[in-house]
């Protein structure tokens, strides 16, 4: 099946908005085994839209639209596409009741224009939108389908997942189920090398996406029932677990911080942070997770040596002898934070984020991370040369969170060395 | 002049990559007064690309391409577009020398495929690319222009700014100059209401972009010389300064943290942070600016009450009587951080970021921010109801940085009240 994605909105052509919907829909269609031939953006202009729809419809079985379903005169997608698919629109009392109810709750009055949003296909179907006033629309004409979705991503994404995608799967006589694996540790090319052959598969499909410091693998299966599709995903996921092991840190989460907070809550462990080069990024990520207050109480941003001494009790002679950016200082910071916060786990980071401050011995991108628990500390050295300040900090924070996860779960920490309190933590 | 933007790359159609180039180029063209009719994404397929280029060329004077200039067999943009613009390609010794030099520095060998990247138009022009191996390309055919740019944004953006945009301006017999104003305080609709009429202007053009917690205004002038264009921008910018006053916090910076760090460095002031609901976001933003270590030494993430007491000396009776989320606690945190860090300025934030933890009296989105200096503290109350945890935190951090900026510059802090040390900071 061939598809095209059409975004409607002059604001996209002016660059006011980034077209994240196109990427989202492309990923979703790829997961369904549907080939996207083109993405388009066109302005709020009926003539140009009609011309584009006629052309796209002639070569592709499926067109997916985003935007142009609002109440203003500019919003003309529904009428234009209806005509191209030989359908008409009718006023829908049920949608109108939703719209007036929504406005009443907001303490606002509807205008005559809002009635446009209650227009639905006479022959096609409507897709209820619980997050906004514009319903989605499904047109069908001799085996060719057009799906119209509202532009705001917080409306488009749930409407796609809960209504449009299941309807499309049903039209293909199947249901879909996805599982998203999160992988931290090996880089994208290493993951590709290990599991690349698993991405050449029809059903389930599997796709890989790189993010800073991690890799996302999405597995999607089509089957007659959700249970069968999920079972097929689980079955296929085993291949990845076998080859990647505990580098797969979780499934269906937003990021490593969510996983870490969940593990710490389950185990009743409290964590604290002592940050130099990351300047609060690690604590900010942990506290970005709802419910983090159960596991995080204290954080220290010790940018200056004086702060490392006063807040964490790092000894002046350690700083003098080994320098602020050293495995010894990282270990001392972690033990200091552990004691000052009375926590079960402590993460400490010290490094040179750049662009300035590097030396031949200690170049930009050198970061030491320590993870302490009781009388033991694990220390890891990262060399992130050639990367921006932001990337150095983000990668360091990701590695730190992963070290805490591994420590909390009793897993090995690859590339780290363990030291005891009082030992010289020399890497 | 009408334009279309064409991105070439199957990875975009698979959703592997977000098409940020389209937004960037749309903003740039809008600033030049050029109307973008369409944005397209097409795969690495010569037939579909040719069909699209012929159609777009027939209706638009300017086509801008991103991607498809690499060395692999997939990369066919240059050959295909050359044919459509009645041009051919020739091997360029100078570009080839650059490519072999680049590979030599990376310790790698060139392959025969790399010779493709040294092909430049026989009749058109090449646009040197200092950040990669693929030069940009300019084709011209009977007053119709095609500009081909490499796909990676870190190559495309400088190549556009330094080569393509000036060449395009020269072709229009002018040069361009832009000034970007950053505005914090009033929301987008308030800015629109005050200065909306200034966006309806031909030369300079002015456009507004909303970001969380701030608004960006971009002014672009076309003139015969850069000096004239800059003078026209400055002159037009005066209108915005007159209407928006010191809500315009800076020009041509990446964000409020950059402005704040520059001001603090100029004035020789040190700042510290005491964060509860933002969990390190404010310190992370400050330390994200190169050179922040001159002005930032200590930061405190005091998520639990115990942390507020132990690290900042907030009195237990203040926490008990007024609660952790109160103007009194915010003020006490700020004074405590000021003293503990020996800093000149302190920012403290306490609030309910959500989604849980709200009560009828203290709902999700309630945040108190205190900015202290010497024996005075300014306290501001924010009500950010209905927003996500992430947005509440981001907006609070932005307001906090702006309060510090205003305090450092001796400006009024709108919506804040001043208290003296020892006074009950009740809002």
């Amino acid at each position: 099946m061939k598809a095209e994605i059409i975004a409607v909105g002059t604001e996209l052509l002016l660059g006011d908005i980034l077209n994240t919907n196109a990427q989202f829909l492309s990923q979703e269609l790829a997961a369904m085994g549907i080939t996207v031939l083109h993405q388009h953006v066109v302005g709020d202009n009926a003539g140009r839209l009609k011309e584009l729809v006629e052309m796209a419809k002639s070569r592709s079985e499926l067109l997916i639209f985003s935007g142009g379903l609002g109440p203003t005169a500019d919003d003309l997608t529904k009428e234009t596409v209806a005509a191209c698919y030989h359908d008409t629109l009718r006023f829908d009392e049920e949608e109108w009741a939703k719209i007036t109810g929504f406005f009443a709750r907001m303490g606002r009055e509807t205008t005559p224009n809002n009635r446009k949003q209650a227009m639905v296909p006479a022959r096609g179907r409507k897709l209820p939108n619980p997050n906004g006033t514009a319903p989605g629309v499904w047109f069908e004409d001799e085996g060719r389908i057009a799906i119209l979705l509202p532009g705001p991503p917080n409306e488009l994404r749930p409407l796609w997942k809960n209504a449009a995608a299941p309807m499309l799967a049903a039209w293909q006589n199947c249901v879909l189920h996805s599982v998203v694996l999160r992988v931290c540790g090996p880089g994208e090319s290493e993951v590709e090398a290990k599991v690349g052959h698993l991405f050449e598969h029809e059903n389930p499909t599997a796709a890989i996406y790189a993010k800073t410091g991690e890799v996302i693998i999405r597995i999607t299966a089509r089957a007659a029932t959700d249970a069968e599709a999920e079972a097929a995903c689980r079955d296929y996921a085993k291949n990845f677990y076998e080859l990647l092991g505990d580098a797969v840190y979780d499934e269906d989460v937003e990021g490593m911080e969510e996983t870490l907070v969940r593990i710490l809550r389950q185990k009743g462990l409290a964590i604290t942070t002592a940050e130099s080069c990351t300047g609060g990024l690690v604590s900010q990520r942990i506290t970005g997770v709802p419910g983090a207050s159960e596991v995080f109480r204290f954080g220290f941003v010790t940018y200056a040596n004086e702060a490392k001494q006063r807040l964490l009790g790092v000894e002046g002679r350690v700083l003098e002898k080994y320098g602020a950016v050293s495995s010894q200082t990282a270990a001392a910071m972690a033990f200091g934070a552990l004691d000052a916060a009375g926590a079960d786990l402590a993460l400490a980071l010290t490094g040179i984020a750049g662009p300035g401050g590097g030396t031949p011995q200690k170049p930009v991108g050198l970061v030491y991370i320590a993870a302490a628990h009781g009388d033991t500390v694990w220390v890891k050295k990262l060399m992130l040369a050639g990367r921006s300040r932001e990337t150095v900090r983000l990668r360091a924070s990701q590695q730190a969170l992963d070290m805490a996860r591994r420590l909390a779960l009793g897993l090995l920490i690859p590339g780290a060395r363990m030291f005891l309190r009082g030992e010289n933590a020399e890497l």
Side-chain angles (χ1 to χ4, degrees), chain A residues 94 123 167 170 177 273 302 324 349 357 377:
Chain A
E94 192 188 4
R123 210 160 46 71
M167 201 180 276
H177 193 99
T273 53
T302 55
L349 299 96
V377 66

mmCIF file of all heavy atoms in Angstrom, chain A residues 94 123 167 170 177 273 302 324 349 357 377:
data_model
loop_
_atom_site.group_PDB
_atom_site.id
_atom_site.type_symbol
_atom_site.label_atom_id
_atom_site.label_comp_id
_atom_site.label_asym_id
_atom_site.label_seq_id
_atom_site.Cartn_x
_atom_site.Cartn_y
_atom_site.Cartn_z
ATOM 1 N N GLU A 94 -24.487 15.258 17.374
ATOM 2 C CA GLU A 94 -23.685 14.738 18.476
ATOM 3 C C GLU A 94 -22.371 15.537 18.613
ATOM 4 O O GLU A 94 -21.980 15.944 19.709
ATOM 5 C CB GLU A 94 -23.389 13.260 18.200
ATOM 6 C CG GLU A 94 -22.817 12.497 19.365
ATOM 7 C CD GLU A 94 -22.375 11.088 18.943
ATOM 8 O OE1 GLU A 94 -22.449 10.768 17.740
ATOM 9 O OE2 GLU A 94 -21.934 10.320 19.813
ATOM 10 N N ARG A 123 -21.049 10.068 3.693
ATOM 11 C CA ARG A 123 -20.835 8.678 3.329
ATOM 12 C C ARG A 123 -19.672 8.069 4.129
ATOM 13 O O ARG A 123 -19.707 6.912 4.505
ATOM 14 C CB ARG A 123 -20.508 8.615 1.832
ATOM 15 C CG ARG A 123 -20.928 7.357 1.104
ATOM 16 C CD ARG A 123 -21.019 7.597 -0.403
ATOM 17 N NE ARG A 123 -19.863 8.319 -0.941
ATOM 18 C CZ ARG A 123 -18.632 7.821 -1.080
ATOM 19 N NH1 ARG A 123 -18.371 6.602 -0.690
ATOM 20 N NH2 ARG A 123 -17.665 8.562 -1.585
ATOM 21 N N MET A 167 -8.663 1.763 12.803
ATOM 22 C CA MET A 167 -9.616 1.687 11.702
ATOM 23 C C MET A 167 -8.905 1.257 10.413
ATOM 24 O O MET A 167 -9.423 0.452 9.633
ATOM 25 C CB MET A 167 -10.287 3.056 11.518
ATOM 26 C CG MET A 167 -11.620 2.990 10.788
ATOM 27 S SD MET A 167 -12.376 4.632 10.606
ATOM 28 C CE MET A 167 -13.201 4.809 12.169
ATOM 29 N N ALA A 170 -8.108 -2.386 10.715
ATOM 30 C CA ALA A 170 -9.320 -3.177 10.497
ATOM 31 C C ALA A 170 -9.644 -3.237 9.003
ATOM 32 O O ALA A 170 -10.060 -4.274 8.490
ATOM 33 C CB ALA A 170 -10.479 -2.563 11.278
ATOM 34 N N HIS A 177 -0.040 -3.947 17.094
ATOM 35 C CA HIS A 177 0.472 -3.775 18.451
ATOM 36 C C HIS A 177 1.955 -3.405 18.351
ATOM 37 O O HIS A 177 2.667 -3.977 17.540
ATOM 38 C CB HIS A 177 0.289 -5.045 19.279
ATOM 39 C CG HIS A 177 0.502 -4.842 20.737
ATOM 40 N ND1 HIS A 177 -0.532 -4.664 21.625
ATOM 41 C CD2 HIS A 177 1.641 -4.737 21.462
ATOM 42 C CE1 HIS A 177 -0.038 -4.481 22.832
ATOM 43 N NE2 HIS A 177 1.293 -4.520 22.760
ATOM 44 N N THR A 273 22.488 13.592 44.090
ATOM 45 C CA THR A 273 23.393 13.929 42.987
ATOM 46 C C THR A 273 24.380 14.999 43.419
ATOM 47 O O THR A 273 24.044 15.893 44.200
ATOM 48 C CB THR A 273 22.593 14.480 41.792
ATOM 49 O OG1 THR A 273 21.766 15.549 42.258
ATOM 50 C CG2 THR A 273 21.733 13.421 41.142
ATOM 51 N N THR A 302 27.909 21.537 42.507
ATOM 52 C CA THR A 302 29.176 22.012 43.053
ATOM 53 C C THR A 302 30.102 22.344 41.887
ATOM 54 O O THR A 302 30.928 21.546 41.484
ATOM 55 C CB THR A 302 29.795 20.937 43.962
ATOM 56 O OG1 THR A 302 29.899 19.725 43.209
ATOM 57 C CG2 THR A 302 28.941 20.698 45.187
ATOM 58 N N ALA A 324 40.246 18.816 39.878
ATOM 59 C CA ALA A 324 38.794 18.696 40.030
ATOM 60 C C ALA A 324 38.225 17.671 39.064
ATOM 61 O O ALA A 324 37.223 17.019 39.355
ATOM 62 C CB ALA A 324 38.126 20.061 39.804
ATOM 63 N N LEU A 349 29.355 13.793 39.075
ATOM 64 C CA LEU A 349 29.895 14.018 37.739
ATOM 65 C C LEU A 349 30.850 15.191 37.763
ATOM 66 O O LEU A 349 30.530 16.258 38.311
ATOM 67 C CB LEU A 349 28.782 14.320 36.735
ATOM 68 C CG LEU A 349 27.745 13.209 36.541
ATOM 69 C CD1 LEU A 349 26.521 13.465 37.408
ATOM 70 C CD2 LEU A 349 27.353 13.096 35.078
ATOM 71 N N GLY A 357 38.469 25.414 28.345
ATOM 72 C CA GLY A 357 38.846 24.712 29.566
ATOM 73 C C GLY A 357 39.600 23.415 29.354
ATOM 74 O O GLY A 357 39.996 22.773 30.333
ATOM 75 N N VAL A 377 32.208 2.452 45.513
ATOM 76 C CA VAL A 377 31.927 3.428 44.468
ATOM 77 C C VAL A 377 32.398 2.836 43.136
ATOM 78 O O VAL A 377 33.433 2.178 43.065
ATOM 79 C CB VAL A 377 32.614 4.781 44.763
ATOM 80 C CG1 VAL A 377 34.145 4.677 44.719
ATOM 81 C CG2 VAL A 377 32.146 5.868 43.806
#
